[in-house]
């Protein structure tokens, strides 16, 4: 804890407004949504994707009384009992604070960087060295400018070793991370081709990365990546690789079976072998990095061998799945400690789809009866996140049950819980599963998750968030954002995606039909929801569920007016659609006078927005047409505004409009396909595909030339062939036109064609030329644009055709 007076000394703010010099600071906040308990917190208004200054009030209302601000607008008038510190840059200020805090600790700090494997090496070192050291490590993959500052803030006296990740994406970033982390030991995992955008050359990227080791005592690295590179002078070099004369020489790497790799080393005049329980190149490399670190720490090769043998895979994702009986399951098998628990509880807290929240928690190593500090942290966490119920599994936590502020039941082990699981009602609940590996919570998950066949659509929530922010950054501050979640969010889910958008504070959601809106309301969505194609039969639910209809013709306008009048409703929000050239739905520009006549003086309706849709924003040859659409909307809205005497929002741009037509932003834009990361016009935007359709191989057959595969015997074999049957067919949304080689899927890194006609629930792939086993994973659309093109359609159609029987799995990396 720091006193605010100390923080003032550390940060040298350009101006302060201090009302309580003794105010204590322990928690760093930068996101007002994540504040649950504000005690001893300080809020940094960062200028990230959104300007943090807009959320000071929200943080204040939640109880925060210490603030670091960049923009001086005399906020002391509005917050007369807060401590306010104005600085040049809030992020730098947070970093200075982290730097100061870091310097208080003398124990070794390991800094890890590299293109891949940082998190895995960090987690493995934790698994490998925890018996000797009390290890602090960066939570999850917190390795950015902000993430590192937050990570370092968690250092405390109770630890004896820290492991901190450092990740960069452009030149100049590592210097800042290095000066915060000041690692005593540096690890380079590898250098890949990822993230090359921010660097002029591979060399530049390498020099930037090894900048982390500038003042370290030792740097540990795979030699092959740093040949011909001038290494920083100071650190002792601990290199490993195949060449002679390296600190740790690798003699041989042999795959023993499909689960084990044997590596022989030469170190300090001795040879020894280690068996790594992984076979892929990346993980073998990661494990060797760990061997090197352990040697540097003086571990005996036999101890190293026995521990490496027991390495566990690192679960990097937190998954959200649909459960049975209207429940959702959050499956988080990421490390079992209090920091990870807090992150998972935050995620649970974001989920608004069900009324009840339940946590199933196993014992956490280090949280015990005699450890007051971590126990009180656990108590605080369980109290902060309003849980409805708690299931405790293990030997330690059940004994402490009466100290927690939640109704709980306890079981000595997972088996005992499973035996009793029928006595629970999980209906209408979001259930967080958080258990140590040895508790095998995957058994619980299997019972709770709704069954389905093995074809899944995986939706990467980080990618969705990323894409949202990419488009947000294109928009001037005053432009609002409507996001399209019609057609089951372009195939990727309903309330799961909507919840994420709501959490990220978009301004509006839009669906095609009232039913979709009703579902979203049932899933805890409170944002305004626009319904694009309402009909008379849906007016009842529109009113009941507080949805806002698009009004596109006089017929629907009068019908809705009459409906509202019979209910005595006034000022009901509507959105007027104008046809400026798309010629789908909408009032024609010539109908404006009559529209004004109807709406002028009317109190039953309130026009919230007036909008149109661009027909060809992505086609340069139609630029004039697009210009005309924009100016038609401009004229129409001007006249309507004059005619009805009040103002409303105007909008016309969808994804391609957002990318290419800033003059069409008006007051709001409507983001659709870009959010999901596909089929966009501009290629310079760092958006990512959010969904991946996956299935797996059910059976493999070896057949002779001239035999045929599938219905109608269309798949004729011209050579002896190996054929894989996979579990996806046209009933899943895999178009029949993909049959007979038109469709290509990715199996074990290779593209393979379909063979024969696509069946209803299955289809066949020609895997003659590749290595493949039954149950191997298959990526159905390795390139969804190309796939769409090959059957004469667009990615929108492929995505929205993926049938509802395909399970959606949401995850956070
Ligand atoms: C679907 C739709 C959008 C979104 O279009 P994208 O190309 O997916 O961004 C916007 N406005 C209207 C009226 C739509 O129907």
């Amino acid at each position: 804890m720091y006193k605010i007076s100390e923080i003032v000394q550390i940060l040298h703010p350009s101006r302060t407004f201090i009302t309580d010099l003794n105010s204590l600071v322990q928690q760093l906040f930068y996101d007002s949504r994540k504040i649950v308990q504000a005690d001893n917190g300080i809020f940094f208004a960062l200028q990230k994707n959104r300007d943090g200054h807009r959320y000071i009030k929200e943080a204040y209302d939640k109880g925060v009384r210490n603030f670091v601000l960049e923009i001086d607008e005399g906020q002391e008038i509005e917050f007369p009992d807060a401590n306010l510190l104005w600085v040049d840059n809030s992020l730098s200020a947070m970093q200075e604070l982290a730097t100061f805090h870091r310097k208080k600790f003398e124990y070794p700090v390991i800094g890890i960087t590299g293109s891949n494997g940082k998190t895995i090496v960090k987690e493995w070192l934790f698994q490998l060295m925890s018996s000797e050291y009390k290890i602090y490590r960066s939570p999850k993959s917190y390795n950015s400018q902000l993430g590192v500052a937050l990570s370092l803030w968690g250092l405390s006296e109770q630890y004896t070793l820290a492991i901190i990740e450092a990740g960069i994406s452009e030149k100049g970033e590592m210097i800042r991370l290095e000066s915060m982390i000041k690692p005593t030991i540096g690890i380079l995992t590898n250098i890949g081709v990822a993230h090359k955008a921010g660097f002029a050359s591979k060399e530049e990227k390498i020099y930037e990365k090894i900048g982390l080791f500038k003042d370290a005592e030792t740097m540990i690295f795979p030699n092959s990546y740093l040949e011909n590179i001038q290494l920083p002078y100071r650190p002792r070099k601990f290199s490993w690789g195949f060449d002679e004369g390296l600190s740790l020489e690798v003699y041989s790497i042999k795959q023993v079976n499909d689960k084990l790799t044997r590596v022989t080393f030469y170190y300090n005049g001795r040879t020894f072998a280690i068996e790594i329980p992984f076979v892929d190149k990346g993980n073998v490399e990661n494990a060797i990095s760990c061997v090197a670190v352990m040697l540097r720490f003086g571990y005996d090769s036999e101890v190293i061998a026995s521990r490496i043998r027991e390495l566990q895979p690192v679960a990097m994702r937190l998954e959200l799945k649909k459960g049975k009986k209207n429940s959702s399951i959050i499956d988080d098998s990421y490390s079992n400690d209090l920091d990870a628990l807090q992150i998972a509880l935050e995620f649970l807290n974001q989920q608004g789809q069900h009324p009840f929240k339940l946590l199933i928690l196993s014992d956490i190593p280090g949280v015990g009866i005699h450890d007051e500090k971590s126990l009180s942290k656990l108590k605080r966490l369980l109290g902060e996140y309003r849980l409805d119920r708690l299931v405790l599994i293990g030997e330690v936590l059940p004994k402490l049950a009466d100290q927690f502020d939640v109704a709980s039941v306890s079981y000595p082990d997972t088996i005992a819980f499973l035996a009793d699981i029928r006595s629970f009602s999980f209906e209408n609940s979001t259930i967080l599963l958080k258990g140590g590996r040895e508790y095998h919570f995957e058994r619980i998950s299997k019972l709770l998750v709704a069954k389905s066949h093995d074809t899944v659509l995986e939706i990467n929530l980080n990618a969705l968030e990323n894409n949202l922010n990419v488009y947000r950054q294109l928009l001037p501050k005053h432009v609002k954002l409507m996001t399209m979640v019609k057609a089951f969010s372009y195939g990727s889910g309903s309330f799961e995606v909507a919840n994420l958008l709501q959490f990220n504070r978009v301004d509006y959601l839009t669906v095609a039909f009232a039913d979709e809106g009703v579902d979203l309301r049932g899933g805890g969505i409170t944002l305004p929801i626009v319904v694009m194609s309402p009909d008379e039969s849906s007016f009842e639910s529109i009113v009941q569920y507080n949805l806002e209809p698009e009004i596109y013709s006089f017929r629907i306008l009068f019908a809705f007016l009459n409906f509202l009048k019979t209910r005595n409703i006034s000022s009901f929000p509507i959105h007027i659609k104008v046809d400026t050239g798309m010629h789908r739905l909408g009032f024609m520009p010539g109908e404006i006078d009559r529209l004004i006549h109807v709406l002028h003086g009317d109190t039953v309706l309130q026009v919230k927005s007036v909008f149109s849709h661009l027909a060809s924003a992505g086609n340069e040859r139609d630029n004039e047409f697009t210009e005309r659409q924009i100016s038609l909307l401009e004229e129409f809205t001007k006249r309507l505004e004059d005619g009805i005497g009040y103002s409303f929002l105007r909008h016309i741009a969808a994804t391609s409009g957002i990318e290419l037509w800033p003059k069409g932003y008006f007051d709001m834009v409507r983001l659709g396909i870009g959010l999901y990361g596909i089929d966009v016009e501009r290629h310079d935007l760092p958006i990512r595909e959010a969904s991946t359709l996956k299935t797996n191989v059910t059976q493999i057959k070896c057949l002779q030339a001239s035999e045929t595969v599938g219905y109608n015997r269309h798949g004729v074999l011209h050579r002896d062939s190996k054929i894989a049957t996979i579990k996806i067919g046209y009933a899943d949304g895999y178009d029949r036109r993909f049959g007979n080689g038109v469709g290509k899927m990715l199996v074990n890194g290779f593209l393979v064609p379909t063979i024969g006609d696509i069946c209803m629930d299955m289809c066949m792939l020609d895997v003659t030329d590749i290595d493949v086993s039954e149950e191997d994973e298959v990526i159905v659309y390795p390139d969804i644009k190309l796939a769409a093109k090959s059957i004469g359609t667009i990615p929108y159609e492929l995505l929205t055709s993926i049938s509802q029987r395909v399970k959606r799995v949401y995850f956070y990396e």
Side-chain angles (χ1 to χ4, degrees):
M1 290 230 203
Y2 289 79
K3 275 193 187 165
I4 194 74
S5 51
E6 287 176 90
I7 292 190
V8 168
Q9 281 179 3
I10 298 165
L11 298 185
H12 303 294
S14 52
R15 184 164 90 82
T16 58
F17 172 77
I18 304 287
T19 53
D20 177 9
L21 260 179
N22 293 321
S23 180
L24 291 174
V25 169
Q26 185 176 32
Q27 306 189 69
L28 305 187
F29 298 125
Y30 64 97
D31 183 336
S32 57
R33 296 165 304 181
K34 292 189 178 161
I35 302 171
V36 181
Q37 181 130 0
D39 297 0
N40 304 323
I42 185 164
F43 182 84
F44 287 76
L46 304 179
Q47 309 246 28
K48 284 195 17 178
N49 302 313
R50 322 207 70 192
D51 182 0
H53 294 81
R54 289 165 61 177
Y55 305 109
I56 300 170
K57 175 87 169 61
E58 186 177 327
Y60 182 88
D61 290 343
K62 285 183 165 179
V64 178
R65 286 297 175 269
N66 300 298
F67 294 87
V68 174
L69 315 173
E70 280 174 32
I71 300 172
D72 191 343
E73 292 170 333
Q75 286 97 338
E76 63 266 36
I77 299 168
E78 204 183 339
F79 308 107
D81 63 340
N83 293 320
L84 307 173
L85 281 59
W86 286 272
V87 297
D88 286 346
N89 182 305
S90 304
L91 177 60
S92 309
M94 191 196 278
Q95 293 179 330
E96 275 165 48
L97 198 55
T99 308
F100 182 91
H101 185 67
R102 148 75 184 101
K103 287 200 182 122
K104 290 170 68 175
F105 305 101
E106 301 271 314
Y107 48 75
V109 172
I110 298 179
I112 307 187
T113 192
S115 304
N116 295 303
K118 295 184 285 292
T119 307
I120 293 179
V121 169
K122 178 189 70 183
E123 292 302 323
W124 278 354
L125 288 175
F126 182 80
Q127 287 178 22
L128 294 163
M129 293 168 58
S130 275
S131 334
E132 289 73 30
Y133 296 90
K134 283 214 74 175
I135 302 178
Y136 174 78
R137 64 207 199 281
S138 337
K140 294 234 163 176
S141 308
Y142 280 23
N143 60 33
S144 64
Q145 297 292 323
L146 176 62
V148 168
L150 295 169
S151 296
L152 291 170
W153 188 250
L155 294 175
S156 77
E157 258 134 36
Q158 58 171 306
Y159 301 108
T160 58
L161 173 67
I163 311 178
I164 305 292
E165 276 184 52
I168 53 168
S169 50
E170 28 176 90
K171 196 166 156 38
E173 289 191 306
M174 192 56 96
I175 301 178
R176 297 175 71 180
L177 298 184
E178 189 273 339
S179 67
M180 279 193 274
I181 303 172
K182 282 289 167 213
T184 39
I185 294 165
I187 305 173
L188 175 74
T189 55
N190 71 3
I191 305 261
V193 282
H195 297 299
K196 61 176 186 266
F199 302 95
S201 65
K202 190 165 178 183
E203 277 69 41
E204 185 178 279
K205 180 164 83 171
I206 293 174
Y207 279 115
E208 181 75 24
K209 291 209 160 149
I210 60 176
L212 177 62
F213 313 132
K214 188 166 68 80
D215 291 330
E217 285 162 21
T218 309
M219 61 180 284
I220 298 172
F221 58 95
N223 193 58
S224 58
Y225 293 106
L226 298 189
E227 278 164 336
N228 309 320
I229 295 286
Q230 195 81 36
L231 297 175
Y233 174 70
R234 187 181 135 89
R236 216 189 102 200
K237 315 291 181 287
F238 192 114
S239 54
W240 63 265
F242 282 106
D243 295 330
E244 248 175 77
L246 302 180
S247 320
L248 174 65
E249 288 178 28
V250 177
Y251 267 172
S252 67
I253 299 184
K254 279 210 185 76
Q255 188 173 333
V256 180
N257 53 37
D258 62 350
K259 293 196 174 63
L260 212 59
T261 306
R262 191 181 160 86
V263 184
T264 351
F265 297 99
Y266 179 76
Y267 177 72
N268 263 357
R270 253 170 34 83
T271 351
F272 63 96
I274 278 178
E275 285 180 341
I276 299 170
F278 295 89
V279 292
D280 62 291
K281 181 166 177 283
N283 273 328
V284 169
E285 232 177 42
N286 293 334
I288 298 176
S289 288
C290 293
V291 171
V293 176
M294 291 181 85
L295 289 169
R296 161 64 181 72
F297 272 81
Y299 282 88
D300 185 80
S301 59
E302 270 158 41
V303 175
I304 300 177
S306 73
R307 292 199 186 160
I308 293 270
R309 193 76 177 70
E310 300 302 318
L311 274 183
Q312 300 289 334
V314 178
M316 305 280 285
R317 351 194 283 190
L318 174 156
E319 295 189 340
L320 172 64
K321 302 172 187 164
K322 210 169 244 40
K324 293 176 183 158
K325 297 196 180 167
N326 191 33
S327 66
S328 297
I329 314 299
I330 302 173
D331 208 338
D332 182 12
S333 42
Y334 182 77
S335 70
N336 191 27
D337 59 56
L338 291 174
D339 290 323
L341 176 64
Q342 176 159 8
I343 291 171
L345 284 169
E346 263 170 23
F347 184 73
L348 175 68
N349 204 33
Q350 286 174 32
Q351 304 302 317
Q353 60 266 40
H354 309 300
F356 302 113
K357 296 201 163 115
L358 173 72
L359 166 64
I360 304 181
L361 179 69
S362 79
D363 280 353
I364 301 172
V367 181
I369 297 169
H370 304 297
D371 179 356
E372 269 309 310
K373 225 172 166 175
S374 33
L375 181 58
S376 73
K377 177 157 184 192
L378 178 61
K379 278 198 238 173
R380 183 168 62 79
L381 288 177
L382 295 179
E384 277 175 16
Y385 295 92
R386 272 156 281 123
L387 297 166
D388 296 287
R389 234 169 353 142
L390 180 62
V391 175
L392 298 169
I393 296 180
E395 291 175 359
V396 181
L397 292 185
K399 295 200 183 100
L400 303 167
D402 52 356
Q403 303 198 31
F404 304 131
D405 209 6
V406 200
S408 69
V409 273
S410 297
Y411 295 92
D413 51 40
T414 306
I415 309 262
F417 172 66
L418 288 173
D420 201 25
I421 203 164
R422 276 170 200 287
S423 71
F424 279 83
S425 154
F426 295 108
E427 246 169 296
N428 303 321
S429 308
T430 309
I431 304 158
L432 170 60
L433 295 178
K434 196 86 192 83
R437 201 172 300 278
E438 60 279 22
Y439 288 90
H440 294 288
F441 274 20
E442 66 276 5
R443 292 192 202 158
I444 306 177
S445 162
K446 247 191 201 139
L447 278 179
L448 299 180
V449 170
K451 271 217 184 57
S452 72
H453 67 325
D454 293 331
T455 302
V456 296
L457 183 67
E458 289 192 348
I459 293 113
N460 180 337
L461 299 175
N462 297 95
L464 277 178
E465 248 169 15
N466 168 71
N467 300 343
L468 184 66
N469 288 328
V470 166
Y471 287 102
R472 246 185 192 148
Q473 277 173 353
L474 296 179
L475 304 174
K477 276 193 182 141
H478 70 274
V479 176
K480 293 188 186 306
L481 186 62
M482 172 182 269
T483 48
M484 311 307 282
V485 293
K486 60 188 178 189
F488 206 57
S489 298
Y490 291 51
S492 63
S494 59
F495 58 71
E496 295 89 349
V497 172
N499 247 312
L500 176 124
L501 296 170
Q502 174 162 290
F503 184 71
N504 282 285
R505 299 188 155 115
V506 304
D507 300 287
Y508 270 95
L509 295 177
T510 300
V511 294
F513 302 104
D515 290 351
E516 299 175 80
V518 172
D519 284 349
L520 291 183
R521 287 281 180 254
I525 301 300
T526 52
L527 281 177
I529 299 174
V530 175
V531 177
M532 287 198 302
S533 311
D535 52 34
E536 290 189 41
S537 63
S538 63
F539 289 167
E540 188 68 57
S541 28
I542 284 181
V543 170
Q544 189 183 343
Y545 290 91
N546 205 5
L547 309 174
E548 306 182 4
E550 163 186 324
I551 301 294
Y552 51 85
S553 71
F554 285 111
R555 177 182 60 78
I556 199 86
L557 175 62
F558 290 130
F560 196 52
L561 258 176
N562 288 337
F563 178 84
L564 294 177
K565 278 181 189 155
T566 61
R567 315 266 149 144
N568 270 329
I569 294 173
S570 62
S571 292
F572 199 90
I574 59 164
H575 301 261
I576 302 268
K577 176 80 163 277
V578 190
D579 186 350
T580 55
M582 173 81 175
H583 300 330
R584 190 168 61 177
L585 293 180
F587 291 96
M588 298 303 285
E591 294 177 306
I592 179 106
D593 290 328
R594 187 172 171 215
L595 191 60
I596 292 173
H597 181 76
V598 177
L599 293 176
H600 177 82
D602 166 82
T603 53
V604 174
L605 297 171
Q606 191 189 6
V607 179
K608 280 277 177 198
S609 85
V610 175
F611 71 107
S612 189
H613 195 45
L614 296 176
S616 196
N619 294 314
E620 220 177 323
R621 58 158 209 275
D622 289 326
N623 279 359
E624 259 174 60
F625 186 85
T626 303
E627 299 259 4
R628 194 158 69 241
Q629 285 198 281
I630 293 172
S631 49
L632 274 173
L633 182 70
E634 178 106 49
E635 286 162 33
F636 190 97
T637 49
K638 239 186 223 138
R639 287 192 57 198
L640 191 70
E641 199 166 288
D642 288 346
I644 64 174
Y646 61 91
S647 61
F648 40 74
L649 299 171
R650 301 158 300 157
H651 44 112
I652 195 167
T655 302
S656 48
I658 299 173
E659 294 185 4
L660 303 172
W661 291 94
K663 72 163 79 156
Y665 287 171
F666 292 98
D667 309 308
M668 181 151 78
V669 295
R670 302 187 301 268
L671 180 62
I673 194 98
L675 179 63
Y676 309 96
I678 340 180
D679 206 36
V680 292
E681 307 295 336
R682 272 171 63 170
H683 301 290
D684 59 328
L685 300 174
I687 58 167
R688 294 159 58 192
E689 258 180 56
S691 52
T692 312
L693 181 60
K694 287 182 176 173
T695 184
N696 50 38
V697 174
T698 312
Q699 193 176 21
I700 295 176
K701 307 211 155 82
C702 291
L703 303 172
Q704 299 196 334
S706 86
E707 291 199 72
T708 64
V709 176
Y711 283 125
N712 308 314
R713 304 191 62 207
H714 280 158
V716 182
L717 300 179
H718 299 291
R719 55 173 178 167
D720 293 353
S721 303
K722 189 165 64 176
I723 302 300
T725 303
I726 61 167
K727 255 188 247 169
I728 187 169
Y730 56 80
D732 299 294
Y734 193 62
D735 200 294
R736 253 187 109 247
R737 286 171 290 175
F738 282 125
N740 299 297
V742 176
K744 301 203 171 43
M745 302 195 192
L746 194 69
V747 184
N748 297 333
F750 293 94
L751 275 185
V752 290
T754 58
I755 179 158
D757 291 353
I758 306 295
C759 311
M760 187 185 290
D761 310 309
M762 284 172 267
C763 66
M764 279 66 90
L765 298 175
D766 182 347
V767 292
T768 311
D769 299 319
I770 70 167
D771 231 357
V772 53
S773 323
E774 290 180 357
E775 298 189 347
D776 278 358
E777 181 179 276
V778 179
I779 310 266
V780 179
Y781 297 127
D783 183 336
I784 196 164
K785 281 184 159 186
L786 210 62
K789 211 167 165 189
S790 70
I791 61 163
T793 181
I794 50 176
Y796 292 69
E797 185 182 347
L798 296 189
L799 281 179
T800 53
S801 309
I802 299 171
S803 88
Q804 285 311 308
R805 78 176 191 188
V806 173
K807 183 165 72 169
R808 269 72 175 166
V809 174
Y810 304 85
F811 68 89
Y812 262 109
E813 285 161 337

